[in-house]
Amino acid sequence: MLLGKGTVLEACVFATVLCGFFGIILKRNLMMKIISMDVMSTGVIAYYVLIASRGGLVTPILANNQNGNYADPVPQAVILTAIVIGFSIQALMLVGVMKLAHDNPTLETSEIEQNNTP
Amino acid sequence: MKWLYIAAGIALYIKFLVMPNLAVDVPDLSIVEVIVQNSGVPNAVSGIIFRNRLYDTIFEVIVFTIAIQGAHFLLANEQPFCTIYQFTDQPSVVLARLGATIAAIVGVELAIRGHLSPGGGFAAGVAGGTAIGLVAITSSSQWMESIYQRWQAATWEKISVLVFIVLAAITLLGIELPHGELGTLFSGGVVPLLNILVAIKVALGSWAVILLFIRYRGLL
């Protein structure tokens, strides 16, 4: 069971998600937090693609001369939404950080909180 | 405290690796063939996005629109960047123009054949946005801005979103265009139209974002 089919890939994908998650909660810089969020979302997308390839590896486009099973199209379609949403959310977050950087010389969260506490 | 978090995370990681995945055993039913039969397009992912999960896709387009409007709103009271340095040497200009041409052609191909082959509206829009970005780094920003104004790109972007929502609502009400012959260019009812609309929307939206970021932040 351990080191079975796809377990190594799964371990790498989980490690990516975990790295991103620790980056989000442990890093103090807002820029690093955004980058870690991107790393985590990359891991999640990779996990969906891995799940989709469980049943087969052929692209889910109907063809006459296919050999092998089709990959599951449902997880792929679901995660396509998350890719686009992630991209737009990231653009918005970066603009927000840009605005914060105008008022604060640093992007450390503790400094920003200290500046904004009355 | 930090090390406690990391230890908990590593324990969770090992737990996920050791415990077997609870996979649902789907009886041997070919999802791809069912979806292709229902939607009338060979690309099953496009079929799911624009038919089985259309409700989701409407809100995806809306979230994209709102995020771009939010970026506009947040940047509205910024000072524009005074001097913007462009790439002016001849090799960069030629290479960027060549890349832009190829990316634009690929974008059109992905948009109109997205229901037959890999691709689709979002990928096509990103290819179009890449083409526009490549032109933007080598030509003056005033010129880009004047083109954006002259072709009324902002208006077209909004029109494409509205037409998308109307078409999607009609499809959700249960009215479907005839499917046509499976695998030809004009087939699949409303799916190719939705693909093209999404491509226009994403390309114009990324154009707006590129112009915005160049105006306020410069190129580098």
Side-chain angles (χ1 to χ4, degrees):
Chain A
M1 180 211 52
L2 202 65
L3 287 183
K5 185 182 154 201
T7 312
V8 180
L9 268 177
E10 208 178 326
C12 295
V13 167
F14 273 136
T16 314
V17 175
L18 214 66
C19 284
F21 180 65
F22 281 136
I24 291 176
I25 59 171
L26 296 181
K27 284 284 175 187
R28 296 268 172 254
N29 192 312
L30 279 178
M31 209 59 210
M32 299 302 268
K33 274 185 198 284
I34 292 178
I35 291 172
S36 328
M37 238 178 106
D38 196 36
V39 169
M40 189 169 171
S41 86
T42 306
V44 173
I45 291 165
Y47 192 58
Y48 268 75
V49 173
L50 186 69
I51 293 285
S53 72
R54 203 180 260 164
L57 292 172
V58 183
T59 323
I61 295 173
L62 197 71
N64 293 325
N65 51 353
Q66 57 108 355
N67 38 2
N69 289 327
Y70 289 117
D72 191 350
V74 180
Q76 296 191 6
V78 170
I79 210 61
L80 194 65
T81 311
I83 296 173
V84 177
I85 301 285
F87 162 70
S88 42
I89 294 295
Q90 217 170 21
L92 200 58
M93 280 194 303
L94 286 173
V95 174
V97 166
M98 239 172 78
K99 297 293 283 185
L100 276 177
H102 267 274
D103 308 332
N104 303 281
T106 162
L107 281 175
E108 305 284 309
T109 44
S110 49
E111 295 282 325
I112 293 175
E113 273 170 17
Q114 212 167 36
N115 285 350
N116 286 325
T117 26
Chain B
M1 207 57 193
K2 189 173 171 179
W3 293 107
L4 194 67
Y5 287 150
I6 290 180
I10 289 171
L12 190 71
Y13 179 67
I14 291 169
K15 181 251 163 204
F16 271 125
L17 278 190
V18 172
M19 303 277 273
N21 280 323
L22 297 171
V24 185
D25 268 332
V26 184
D28 200 23
L29 155 110
S30 178
I31 304 172
V32 173
E33 268 143 39
V34 173
I35 288 164
V36 166
Q37 214 171 25
N38 281 343
S39 60
V41 291
N43 188 344
V45 178
S46 277
I48 292 180
I49 287 178
F50 289 123
R51 193 177 174 283
N52 300 47
R53 288 174 56 83
L54 185 59
Y55 201 56
D56 196 55
T57 311
I58 296 176
F59 286 101
E60 176 178 358
V61 172
I62 292 175
V63 166
F64 187 78
T65 314
I66 291 176
I68 288 174
Q69 281 181 348
H72 262 287
F73 175 74
L74 282 175
L75 284 173
N77 61 350
E78 293 270 315
Q79 286 296 324
F81 214 60
C82 33
T83 47
I84 295 163
Y85 298 101
Q86 309 282 345
F87 289 90
T88 48
D89 55 319
Q90 214 56 38
S92 308
V93 172
V94 170
L95 277 179
R97 293 282 156 101
L98 183 67
T101 313
I102 294 171
I105 292 171
V106 168
V108 172
E109 158 82 11
L110 287 178
I112 61 174
R113 285 173 57 87
H115 58 301
L116 307 175
S117 55
F122 293 104
V126 173
T130 310
I132 293 167
L134 280 172
V135 174
I137 61 171
T138 53
S139 48
S140 80
S141 57
Q142 284 84 18
W143 184 70
M144 292 293 293
E145 196 99 11
S146 73
I147 289 182
Y148 188 80
Q149 303 289 351
R150 193 176 63 198
W151 290 93
Q152 292 173 331
T155 319
W156 281 108
E157 188 189 338
K158 286 170 185 78
I159 290 176
S160 67
V161 176
L162 289 178
V163 174
F164 179 88
I165 293 173
V166 168
L167 271 182
I170 290 173
T171 314
L172 283 176
L173 285 177
I175 305 162
E176 279 191 78
L177 293 175
H179 279 168
E181 194 189 336
L182 183 71
T184 50
L185 195 60
F186 296 101
S187 68
V190 82
V191 174
L193 290 176
L194 294 180
N195 255 335
I196 292 169
L197 283 175
V198 170
I200 293 172
K201 158 84 199 107
V202 175
L204 292 180
S206 41
W207 188 0
V209 170
I210 289 169
L211 278 187
L212 209 64
F213 273 85
I214 288 180
R215 192 192 317 150
Y216 291 115
R217 295 295 301 165
L219 269 181
L220 301 172

